[in-house]
Coordinates of all heavy atoms in Angstrom, one line a residue:
K35 N 0.8 -1.2 0.0 CA 0.0 0.0 -0.1 C 0.9 1.2 0.0 O 0.6 2.2 -0.7 CB -0.9 0.0 1.2 CG -1.8 1.1 1.2 CD -3.3 0.8 1.4 CE -4.1 2.0 1.4 NZ -5.4 1.7 1.2
D36 N 1.9 1.3 0.7 CA 2.8 2.4 0.8 C 3.5 2.6 -0.6 O 3.7 3.9 -1.0 CB 4.0 2.2 1.8 CG 3.5 2.4 3.4 OD1 2.4 2.9 3.5 OD2 4.1 2.0 4.1
A37 N 3.9 1.6 -1.2 CA 4.4 1.8 -2.6 C 3.5 2.5 -3.6 O 3.7 3.2 -4.4 CB 4.9 0.4 -3.1
E38 N 2.2 2.0 -3.4 CA 1.1 2.5 -4.3 C 0.9 4.0 -4.0 O 0.8 4.7 -5.0 CB -0.2 1.7 -4.0 CG -1.3 1.9 -5.0 CD -2.5 1.0 -4.6 OE1 -2.3 -0.2 -4.6 OE2 -3.5 1.6 -4.4
M39 N 0.9 4.4 -2.7 CA 0.8 5.8 -2.4 C 1.9 6.7 -2.9 O 1.7 7.8 -3.4 CB 0.6 6.0 -0.9 CG -0.8 5.6 -0.4 SD -2.1 6.5 -1.2 CE -1.9 8.1 -0.6
D40 N 3.1 6.1 -2.8 CA 4.3 6.7 -3.3 C 4.1 7.0 -4.7 O 4.5 8.0 -5.3 CB 5.6 6.0 -3.0 CG 5.9 6.1 -1.5 OD1 5.4 7.0 -0.8 OD2 6.8 5.3 -1.1
R41 N 3.7 5.9 -5.5 CA 3.6 6.1 -7.0 C 2.5 7.1 -7.3 O 2.6 8.0 -8.2 CB 3.2 4.8 -7.6 CG 3.4 4.7 -9.0 CD 3.2 3.3 -9.5 NE 1.9 3.2 -9.9 CZ 1.2 2.0 -9.9 NH1 1.7 0.9 -9.6 NH2 -0.1 2.0 -10.3
F42 N 1.4 7.1 -6.6 CA 0.3 8.2 -6.6 C 0.9 9.5 -6.4 O 0.5 10.4 -7.2 CB -0.8 7.8 -5.7 CG -1.9 8.9 -5.8 CD1 -2.8 8.9 -7.0 CD2 -2.0 9.9 -4.9 CE1 -3.8 9.9 -7.0 CE2 -2.9 10.9 -4.9 CZ -3.8 10.9 -6.1
D43 N 1.6 9.6 -5.4 CA 2.2 10.9 -5.0 C 3.1 11.5 -6.1 O 3.0 12.7 -6.4 CB 2.9 10.9 -3.7 CG 2.1 10.8 -2.5 OD1 0.8 11.1 -2.6 OD2 2.5 10.4 -1.4
R44 N 3.9 10.6 -6.7 CA 4.8 11.1 -7.7 C 4.1 11.5 -9.0 O 4.3 12.4 -9.6 CB 5.8 9.9 -8.1 CG 7.0 9.9 -7.1 CD 8.1 9.0 -7.6 NE 7.7 7.6 -8.1 CZ 7.5 6.6 -7.4 NH1 7.8 6.6 -6.0 NH2 7.1 5.4 -7.9
F45 N 3.0 10.7 -9.3 CA 2.1 10.9 -10.4 C 1.4 12.3 -10.3 O 1.4 13.1 -11.1 CB 1.1 9.8 -10.6 CG 0.2 9.9 -11.8 CD1 0.7 9.9 -13.0 CD2 -1.1 10.0 -11.6 CE1 -0.1 10.0 -14.2 CE2 -1.9 10.3 -12.6 CZ -1.5 10.2 -14.0
S46 N 0.8 12.4 -9.0 CA 0.1 13.7 -8.7 C 1.0 14.8 -8.8 O 0.7 15.9 -9.3 CB -0.4 13.5 -7.3 OG -1.2 14.7 -6.9
S47 N 2.2 14.8 -8.2 CA 3.2 15.8 -8.4 C 3.5 16.2 -9.7 O 3.6 17.4 -10.1 CB 4.4 15.4 -7.6 OG 5.3 16.4 -7.5
R48 N 3.6 15.3 -10.6 CA 3.9 15.5 -12.0 C 2.7 16.3 -12.7 O 3.0 17.2 -13.5 CB 4.3 14.3 -12.8 CG 5.6 13.7 -12.3 CD 5.9 12.4 -13.1 NE 7.2 11.9 -12.7 CZ 7.6 10.7 -13.0 NH1 6.7 9.9 -13.6 NH2 8.7 10.2 -12.4
I49 N 1.6 15.9 -12.4 CA 0.4 16.5 -12.9 C 0.3 17.9 -12.5 O 0.1 18.8 -13.3 CB -0.9 15.7 -12.7 CG1 -1.0 14.4 -13.3 CG2 -2.2 16.5 -12.9 CD1 -2.0 13.4 -12.9
I50 N 0.5 18.2 -11.2 CA 0.5 19.5 -10.6 C 1.6 20.4 -11.2 O 1.3 21.6 -11.6 CB 0.6 19.6 -9.1 CG1 -0.6 18.7 -8.4 CG2 0.7 21.0 -8.5 CD1 -1.9 19.3 -8.7
D51 N 2.7 19.9 -11.4 CA 3.8 20.6 -12.0 C 3.5 21.0 -13.5 O 3.6 22.1 -13.9 CB 5.0 19.8 -12.0 CG 5.7 19.7 -10.7 OD1 5.3 20.5 -9.8 OD2 6.7 18.8 -10.6
A52 N 2.9 20.0 -14.2 CA 2.4 20.3 -15.6 C 1.3 21.4 -15.6 O 1.4 22.3 -16.5 CB 1.9 19.1 -16.3
L53 N 0.4 21.4 -14.7 CA -0.6 22.4 -14.6 C -0.1 23.8 -14.4 O -0.5 24.8 -14.9 CB -1.7 22.0 -13.6 CG -2.6 20.9 -13.9 CD1 -3.5 20.5 -12.8 CD2 -3.4 21.1 -15.1
Y54 N 0.9 23.9 -13.4 CA 1.5 25.1 -13.1 C 2.2 25.6 -14.4 O 2.1 26.8 -14.7 CB 2.7 24.9 -12.1 CG 2.3 25.1 -10.6 CD1 1.7 24.0 -10.0 CD2 2.4 26.2 -10.0 CE1 1.2 24.2 -8.6 CE2 2.0 26.5 -8.7 CZ 1.4 25.4 -8.1 OH 1.0 25.6 -6.8
K55 N 3.0 24.8 -15.1 CA 3.7 25.3 -16.4 C 2.6 25.8 -17.3 O 2.8 26.8 -18.0 CB 4.5 24.1 -16.9 CG 5.8 23.8 -16.0 CD 6.6 22.7 -16.6 CE 7.7 22.4 -15.7 NZ 8.5 21.3 -16.1
I56 N 1.6 25.0 -17.6 CA 0.6 25.5 -18.5 C 0.0 26.8 -18.1 O -0.2 27.7 -18.8 CB -0.5 24.4 -18.7 CG1 0.0 23.1 -19.3 CG2 -1.7 24.9 -19.5 CD1 -0.8 21.9 -19.3
A57 N -0.5 26.9 -16.8 CA -1.1 28.1 -16.3 C -0.3 29.3 -16.3 O -0.8 30.4 -16.6 CB -1.6 27.8 -14.9
L58 N 1.1 29.2 -16.1 CA 1.9 30.3 -16.1 C 2.4 30.8 -17.4 O 3.0 31.8 -17.5 CB 3.1 30.1 -15.2 CG 2.7 29.8 -13.7 CD1 4.0 29.4 -12.9 CD2 2.0 30.9 -13.1
E59 N 1.9 30.2 -18.5 CA 2.2 30.6 -19.9 C 1.5 31.9 -20.2 O 2.0 32.7 -21.0 CB 2.0 29.6 -20.9 CG 2.8 28.4 -20.8 CD 4.3 28.8 -21.3 OE1 4.4 29.5 -22.2 OE2 5.3 28.3 -20.6
S60 N 0.2 32.1 -19.8 CA -0.5 33.3 -20.2 C -1.7 33.4 -19.2 O -2.1 32.5 -18.5 CB -1.1 33.1 -21.6 OG -2.1 32.0 -21.6
K61 N -2.3 34.5 -19.3 CA -3.5 34.9 -18.4 C -4.6 33.9 -18.8 O -5.3 33.4 -17.9 CB -3.9 36.4 -18.6 CG -5.1 36.7 -17.7 CD -5.4 38.1 -17.8 CE -6.6 38.4 -17.0 NZ -7.1 39.9 -17.1
E62 N -4.8 33.7 -20.1 CA -5.9 32.9 -20.5 C -5.6 31.4 -20.0 O -6.6 30.8 -19.4 CB -5.9 32.8 -22.0 CG -7.0 31.9 -22.6 CD -7.0 31.9 -24.1 OE1 -6.2 32.6 -24.7 OE2 -7.8 31.1 -24.6
N63 N -4.4 30.9 -20.1 CA -4.2 29.6 -19.5 C -4.3 29.5 -18.0 O -4.9 28.5 -17.5 CB -2.8 29.1 -19.8 CG -2.5 28.7 -21.3 OD1 -3.5 28.8 -22.1 ND2 -1.4 28.3 -21.6
Y64 N -3.8 30.6 -17.3 CA -4.0 30.7 -15.8 C -5.5 30.5 -15.5 O -5.9 29.8 -14.6 CB -3.4 32.0 -15.4 CG -3.8 32.4 -14.1 CD1 -3.4 31.7 -12.8 CD2 -4.8 33.4 -13.9 CE1 -3.9 32.1 -11.6 CE2 -5.2 33.8 -12.6 CZ -4.7 33.1 -11.5 OH -5.3 33.6 -10.2
E65 N -6.3 31.3 -16.2 CA -7.7 31.4 -15.8 C -8.4 30.0 -16.1 O -9.3 29.5 -15.3 CB -8.4 32.5 -16.5 CG -8.1 33.9 -16.0 CD -8.5 35.0 -16.9 OE1 -9.1 34.7 -18.0 OE2 -8.4 36.1 -16.5
K66 N -8.0 29.3 -17.2 CA -8.6 28.1 -17.6 C -8.2 26.9 -16.5 O -9.0 26.2 -16.1 CB -8.2 27.6 -19.0 CG -8.9 28.4 -20.1 CD -8.4 27.9 -21.5 CE -9.2 28.6 -22.5 NZ -8.6 28.2 -23.8
V67 N -6.9 27.0 -16.2 CA -6.4 25.9 -15.3 C -7.1 26.2 -13.9 O -7.6 25.1 -13.2 CB -4.8 25.9 -15.1 CG1 -4.3 25.2 -13.9 CG2 -4.2 25.5 -16.5
K68 N -7.2 27.4 -13.4 CA -7.8 27.6 -12.1 C -9.2 27.2 -12.1 O -9.7 26.6 -11.2 CB -7.5 29.2 -11.8 CG -8.1 29.5 -10.4 CD -8.0 31.0 -10.1 CE -8.6 31.3 -8.8 NZ -8.3 32.7 -8.4
K69 N -9.9 27.6 -13.2 CA -11.4 27.3 -13.3 C -11.6 25.7 -13.2 O -12.4 25.2 -12.6 CB -12.0 28.0 -14.5 CG -13.4 27.7 -14.7 CD -14.3 28.3 -13.4 CE -15.7 28.2 -13.7 NZ -16.5 28.6 -12.6
S70 N -10.6 25.1 -14.1 CA -10.7 23.6 -14.1 C -10.6 22.9 -12.9 O -11.3 22.1 -12.5 CB -9.8 23.1 -15.2 OG -10.2 23.6 -16.5
L71 N -9.6 23.4 -12.1 CA -9.3 22.8 -10.7 C -10.5 23.1 -9.9 O -10.9 22.2 -9.1 CB -8.1 23.4 -10.2 CG -6.7 23.0 -10.7 CD1 -5.5 23.8 -10.3 CD2 -6.5 21.5 -10.4
E72 N -11.1 24.3 -9.9 CA -12.2 24.6 -9.0 C -13.4 23.7 -9.3 O -14.1 23.2 -8.4 CB -12.6 26.1 -9.1 CG -11.6 27.1 -8.5 CD -11.7 28.5 -8.9 OE1 -12.4 28.8 -9.9 OE2 -11.2 29.3 -8.2
V73 N -13.6 23.5 -10.6 CA -14.8 22.6 -11.1 C -14.5 21.2 -10.7 O -15.4 20.6 -10.1 CB -14.9 22.8 -12.6 CG1 -15.9 21.6 -13.1 CG2 -15.5 24.2 -12.9
F74 N -13.2 20.8 -10.8 CA -12.9 19.4 -10.4 C -13.1 19.2 -9.0 O -13.6 18.1 -8.6 CB -11.4 19.1 -10.8 CG -10.9 17.7 -10.5 CD1 -11.2 16.7 -11.4 CD2 -10.2 17.5 -9.4 CE1 -10.8 15.4 -11.1 CE2 -9.9 16.2 -9.0 CZ -10.2 15.2 -9.9
I75 N -12.6 20.1 -8.2 CA -12.9 20.1 -6.6 C -14.4 19.8 -6.5 O -14.8 19.0 -5.6 CB -12.2 21.3 -5.9 CG1 -10.7 21.3 -6.1 CG2 -12.7 21.2 -4.5 CD1 -10.0 22.4 -5.6
K76 N -15.1 20.8 -7.0 CA -16.6 20.9 -6.7 C -17.3 19.5 -7.2 O -18.1 19.0 -6.4 CB -17.3 22.0 -7.4 CG -18.6 22.2 -7.1 CD -19.2 23.5 -7.6 CE -20.6 23.7 -7.2 NZ -21.2 25.0 -7.7
Q77 N -16.9 19.0 -8.2 CA -17.5 17.8 -8.8 C -17.1 16.6 -8.0 O -17.8 15.5 -8.1 CB -17.2 17.7 -10.3 CG -18.0 18.7 -11.1 CD -17.6 18.5 -12.5 OE1 -16.6 18.0 -13.0 NE2 -18.4 19.2 -13.4
N78 N -15.9 16.5 -7.4 CA -15.4 15.3 -6.7 C -15.1 15.4 -5.3 O -14.5 14.5 -4.8 CB -14.0 15.1 -7.5 CG -14.2 14.6 -8.9 OD1 -14.7 13.5 -9.1 ND2 -13.9 15.5 -9.8
Q79 N -15.6 16.4 -4.6 CA -15.4 16.6 -3.2 C -15.9 15.5 -2.3 O -15.3 15.1 -1.3 CB -15.8 17.9 -2.7 CG -17.3 18.2 -2.8 CD -17.7 19.6 -2.5 OE1 -16.9 20.4 -2.5 NE2 -19.0 19.9 -2.3
N80 N -16.9 14.8 -2.8 CA -17.5 13.7 -2.1 C -16.9 12.3 -2.5 O -17.1 11.3 -1.8 CB -19.0 13.6 -2.2 CG -19.6 14.8 -1.5 OD1 -19.3 15.2 -0.6 ND2 -20.7 15.3 -2.1
R81 N -16.1 12.4 -3.5 CA -15.5 11.2 -4.1 C -14.2 10.9 -3.6 O -13.8 9.6 -3.4 CB -15.5 11.3 -5.6 CG -15.1 10.1 -6.4 CD -15.3 10.3 -7.9 NE -14.8 9.1 -8.6 CZ -14.4 9.2 -9.8 NH1 -14.5 10.3 -10.5 NH2 -14.0 8.2 -10.4
F82 N -13.3 11.9 -3.4 CA -11.9 11.7 -2.9 C -11.7 12.4 -1.6 O -12.1 13.6 -1.3 CB -11.0 12.3 -4.0 CG -11.1 11.7 -5.4 CD1 -11.6 12.5 -6.4 CD2 -10.7 10.5 -5.6 CE1 -11.7 12.0 -7.6 CE2 -10.7 9.9 -6.9 CZ -11.3 10.7 -7.9
D83 N -11.1 11.6 -0.6 CA -10.9 12.2 0.7 C -9.9 13.4 0.7 O -10.2 14.3 1.5 CB -10.4 11.0 1.5 CG -11.3 9.9 1.9 OD1 -12.6 10.2 1.7 OD2 -11.0 8.8 2.1
N84 N -8.9 13.3 0.0 CA -7.9 14.3 0.1 C -7.9 15.4 -1.0 O -6.9 16.1 -1.3 CB -6.5 13.6 0.2 CG -6.3 12.8 1.3 OD1 -6.8 13.0 2.4 ND2 -5.6 11.7 1.1
I85 N -9.1 15.7 -1.5 CA -9.2 16.6 -2.7 C -8.9 18.0 -2.2 O -8.5 18.9 -3.0 CB -10.5 16.5 -3.3 CG1 -10.4 17.1 -4.8 CG2 -11.6 17.0 -2.5 CD1 -11.5 16.7 -5.7
N86 N -9.1 18.3 -0.9 CA -8.9 19.7 -0.4 C -7.4 20.2 -0.7 O -7.3 21.4 -0.6 CB -9.4 19.8 1.0 CG -10.8 19.8 1.1 OD1 -11.5 20.3 0.3 ND2 -11.3 19.3 2.3
F87 N -6.5 19.3 -0.8 CA -5.1 19.8 -1.1 C -5.0 20.6 -2.4 O -4.1 21.4 -2.6 CB -4.1 18.6 -1.1 CG -4.0 18.0 -2.6 CD1 -3.1 18.4 -3.5 CD2 -4.9 17.0 -3.0 CE1 -3.0 17.8 -4.7 CE2 -4.8 16.4 -4.2 CZ -3.9 16.8 -5.0
L88 N -6.0 20.5 -3.2 CA -6.0 21.3 -4.5 C -6.4 22.7 -4.2 O -6.0 23.5 -5.0 CB -7.1 20.6 -5.5 CG -6.7 19.3 -6.2 CD1 -7.8 18.7 -7.0 CD2 -5.3 19.5 -6.9
H89 N -7.0 23.0 -3.1 CA -7.3 24.4 -2.8 C -5.9 25.0 -2.5 O -5.7 26.2 -2.9 CB -8.2 24.5 -1.5 CG -9.6 24.2 -1.8 ND1 -10.4 24.9 -2.5 CD2 -10.3 23.1 -1.4 CE1 -11.7 24.4 -2.5 NE2 -11.6 23.3 -1.9
F90 N -5.0 24.3 -1.8 CA -3.7 24.8 -1.5 C -2.8 25.0 -2.9 O -2.2 26.0 -3.0 CB -3.0 23.8 -0.6 CG -1.6 24.2 -0.4 CD1 -1.3 25.2 0.5 CD2 -0.5 23.4 -1.0 CE1 0.1 25.5 0.8 CE2 0.8 23.8 -0.6 CZ 1.1 24.8 0.2
T91 N -3.1 24.1 -3.9 CA -2.5 24.2 -5.2 C -3.0 25.5 -5.8 O -2.2 26.1 -6.5 CB -2.8 22.9 -6.0 OG1 -2.4 21.8 -5.3 CG2 -2.2 23.1 -7.4
I92 N -4.2 25.7 -5.7 CA -4.8 26.9 -6.4 C -4.2 28.3 -5.8 O -3.9 29.1 -6.4 CB -6.4 26.9 -6.4 CG1 -6.9 25.8 -7.2 CG2 -6.9 28.3 -6.7 CD1 -8.4 25.7 -7.0
R93 N -4.1 28.2 -4.4 CA -3.5 29.4 -3.8 C -2.2 29.6 -4.2 O -1.6 30.7 -4.5 CB -3.6 29.2 -2.2 CG -5.0 29.7 -1.7 CD -4.9 29.8 -0.2 NE -4.5 28.6 0.6 CZ -5.2 27.6 0.9 NH1 -6.5 27.7 0.7 NH2 -4.7 26.6 1.6
N94 N -1.3 28.6 -4.3 CA 0.1 28.7 -4.8 C 0.1 29.1 -6.1 O 0.9 29.9 -6.6 CB 0.8 27.2 -4.6 CG 1.1 27.0 -3.1 OD1 1.2 27.9 -2.3 ND2 1.4 25.7 -2.9
L95 N -0.8 28.6 -7.1 CA -0.8 29.0 -8.4 C -1.1 30.6 -8.5 O -0.5 31.3 -9.3 CB -1.9 28.2 -9.1 CG -2.0 28.5 -10.7 CD1 -0.8 28.3 -11.4 CD2 -3.2 27.7 -11.2
D96 N -2.1 31.0 -7.7 CA -2.5 32.4 -7.6 C -1.2 33.3 -7.3 O -0.9 34.2 -8.1 CB -3.5 32.8 -6.7 CG -4.9 32.2 -7.1 OD1 -5.1 32.0 -8.2 OD2 -5.7 32.1 -6.1
E97 N -0.5 32.9 -6.3 CA 0.6 33.6 -5.8 C 1.7 33.7 -6.9 O 2.3 34.7 -7.2 CB 1.2 33.0 -4.6 CG 0.4 33.1 -3.3 CD 0.9 32.4 -2.1 OE1 2.0 32.0 -2.1 OE2 0.1 32.4 -1.1
Q98 N 2.0 32.4 -7.5 CA 3.0 32.4 -8.5 C 2.7 33.2 -9.7 O 3.5 33.9 -10.3 CB 3.3 31.0 -8.9 CG 4.5 30.8 -9.8 CD 5.8 31.2 -9.1 OE1 6.1 30.7 -8.0 NE2 6.6 31.9 -9.7
Y99 N 1.4 33.1 -10.1 CA 0.9 33.9 -11.3 C 1.2 35.4 -11.0 O 1.8 36.1 -11.9 CB -0.5 33.5 -11.6 CG -1.0 34.4 -12.8 CD1 -0.7 34.1 -14.1 CD2 -1.8 35.6 -12.5 CE1 -1.2 34.9 -15.1 CE2 -2.3 36.3 -13.6 CZ -1.9 36.0 -14.8 OH -2.3 36.8 -15.9
Y100 N 0.7 35.9 -9.9 CA 0.8 37.3 -9.6 C 2.2 37.8 -9.3 O 2.5 38.9 -9.6 CB -0.3 37.7 -8.5 CG -1.6 37.7 -9.1 CD1 -2.6 36.7 -8.8 CD2 -2.1 38.6 -10.0 CE1 -3.8 36.6 -9.2 CE2 -3.4 38.6 -10.6 CZ -4.2 37.6 -10.2 OH -5.5 37.6 -10.8
M101 N 3.0 37.0 -8.8 CA 4.4 37.2 -8.6 C 5.1 37.4 -10.0 O 5.9 38.4 -10.1 CB 5.1 36.2 -7.7 CG 4.7 36.2 -6.3 SD 5.3 37.6 -5.4 CE 7.1 37.2 -5.3
N102 N 4.8 36.4 -10.9 CA 5.4 36.6 -12.2 C 5.0 37.8 -12.9 O 5.8 38.4 -13.5 CB 5.2 35.4 -13.0 CG 5.8 34.0 -12.5 OD1 6.6 34.1 -11.6 ND2 5.5 33.0 -13.2
K103 N 3.7 38.1 -12.7 CA 3.1 39.3 -13.4 C 3.7 40.5 -12.8 O 4.0 41.5 -13.6 CB 1.6 39.2 -13.3 CG 0.9 40.2 -14.1 CD -0.6 40.0 -14.0 CE -1.2 41.1 -14.8 NZ -2.6 40.8 -15.2
A104 N 3.9 40.6 -11.6 CA 4.3 41.8 -10.8 C 5.6 42.1 -11.3 O 6.1 43.3 -11.4 CB 4.2 41.7 -9.3
Q105 N 6.5 41.1 -11.6 CA 7.9 41.3 -12.0 C 8.0 41.9 -13.4 O 9.1 42.6 -13.6 CB 8.6 39.9 -12.0 CG 8.9 39.4 -10.6 CD 9.5 38.0 -10.7 OE1 9.8 37.4 -11.8 NE2 9.6 37.4 -9.6
S106 N 7.0 42.0 -14.0 CA 6.9 42.6 -15.4 C 6.5 44.2 -15.4 O 6.5 44.9 -16.3 CB 6.2 41.9 -16.3 OG 4.9 41.9 -16.0
F107 N 6.1 44.7 -14.1 CA 5.7 46.0 -14.0 C 6.8 47.0 -13.7 O 7.8 46.5 -13.0 CB 4.7 46.2 -12.8 CG 3.4 45.5 -13.0 CD1 2.8 44.8 -12.0 CD2 2.6 45.7 -14.2 CE1 1.5 44.1 -12.2 CE2 1.5 45.1 -14.4 CZ 0.9 44.3 -13.4
T108 N 6.7 48.2 -14.2 CA 7.8 49.2 -13.8 C 7.3 49.8 -12.5 O 6.2 49.6 -12.0 CB 7.7 50.4 -14.9 OG1 6.4 51.0 -14.7 CG2 7.9 49.8 -16.3
I109 N 8.2 50.6 -11.9 CA 7.9 51.2 -10.6 C 6.7 52.1 -10.6 O 5.8 52.1 -9.8 CB 9.2 51.9 -10.0 CG1 10.3 51.0 -9.8 CG2 8.7 52.8 -8.8 CD1 10.1 50.1 -8.6
D110 N 6.7 52.9 -11.8 CA 5.5 53.8 -12.0 C 4.1 53.1 -12.1 O 3.1 53.4 -11.6 CB 5.7 54.6 -13.2 CG 6.8 55.7 -12.9 OD1 7.0 56.1 -11.8 OD2 7.3 56.1 -14.0
Q111 N 4.1 51.8 -12.8 CA 3.0 51.0 -12.9 C 2.5 50.4 -11.5 O 1.2 50.5 -11.2 CB 3.2 49.8 -13.8 CG 3.3 50.4 -15.3 CD 3.7 49.1 -16.2 OE1 4.5 48.4 -15.8 NE2 3.0 49.1 -17.3
V112 N 3.5 50.1 -10.7 CA 3.2 49.6 -9.4 C 2.5 50.7 -8.5 O 1.6 50.5 -7.8 CB 4.5 49.0 -8.6 CG1 4.2 48.7 -7.2 CG2 4.9 47.7 -9.4
K113 N 3.2 51.9 -8.6 CA 2.7 53.0 -7.8 C 1.3 53.4 -8.2 O 0.4 53.7 -7.4 CB 3.6 54.3 -8.0 CG 4.9 54.2 -7.3 CD 5.7 55.5 -7.7 CE 7.0 55.4 -7.0 NZ 7.8 56.7 -7.4
E114 N 0.9 53.2 -9.5 CA -0.4 53.5 -10.0 C -1.4 52.5 -9.5 O -2.5 52.9 -9.1 CB -0.4 53.6 -11.6 CG -1.8 53.8 -12.2 CD -1.6 53.8 -13.7 OE1 -0.6 54.1 -14.3 OE2 -2.6 53.4 -14.3
K115 N -1.0 51.3 -9.5 CA -2.0 50.2 -9.0 C -2.1 50.3 -7.6 O -3.3 50.2 -7.1 CB -1.3 48.9 -9.4 CG -1.3 48.6 -10.9 CD -1.1 47.2 -11.3 CE -1.1 47.1 -12.7 NZ -2.3 47.4 -13.5
I116 N -1.1 50.7 -6.8 CA -1.3 50.9 -5.4 C -2.2 52.1 -5.1 O -3.1 52.0 -4.3 CB 0.1 51.1 -4.7 CG1 0.8 49.8 -4.6 CG2 -0.1 51.6 -3.2 CD1 2.3 50.0 -4.2
H117 N -2.1 53.2 -5.8 CA -2.9 54.3 -5.8 C -4.3 54.0 -6.0 O -5.2 54.4 -5.3 CB -2.5 55.4 -6.7 CG -3.3 56.6 -6.7 ND1 -3.2 57.5 -5.6 CD2 -4.2 57.1 -7.5 CE1 -4.1 58.5 -5.8 NE2 -4.7 58.3 -6.9
I118 N -4.6 53.1 -7.0 CA -6.1 52.7 -7.3 C -6.5 51.9 -6.2 O -7.7 52.0 -5.9 CB -6.0 51.9 -8.7 CG1 -5.7 52.9 -9.8 CG2 -7.4 51.2 -8.9 CD1 -5.5 52.2 -11.2
L119 N -5.8 51.0 -5.6 CA -6.3 50.1 -4.6 C -6.6 50.9 -3.3 O -7.6 50.5 -2.7 CB -5.2 49.1 -4.2 CG -4.9 47.9 -5.1 CD1 -3.7 47.1 -4.7 CD2 -6.2 47.1 -5.3
Y120 N -5.9 51.9 -2.9 CA -6.1 52.7 -1.8 C -6.9 53.9 -1.8 O -7.0 54.6 -1.0 CB -4.8 52.8 -1.1 CG -4.2 51.6 -0.6 CD1 -3.2 51.0 -1.3 CD2 -4.7 50.9 0.5 CE1 -2.6 49.8 -0.9 CE2 -4.2 49.7 0.9 CZ -3.1 49.1 0.3 OH -2.6 47.9 0.7
N121 N -7.5 54.2 -3.0 CA -8.2 55.4 -3.2 C -9.6 55.1 -3.8 O -10.0 54.1 -4.1 CB -7.5 56.3 -4.2 CG -6.4 57.0 -3.5 OD1 -6.4 57.4 -2.3 ND2 -5.2 57.2 -4.0

């Protein structure tokens, strides 16, 4: 049973890595991957015991997407966005 779980964990990890790579290619991909994960969770929450780990995956994906996006802004763009948020 432990060997089976290890194999599943490796397989699961590869799938999550692939989803990250796809999602981080573009905003459209990010939105599609995120939505697909949310739908998958909703449709399968009663079927799989440990499906809630995907919420953590979505949060990490969000953080990575916005960190990557933030790195492409100039200082002036960041100031403008901060100004919009707080006014």
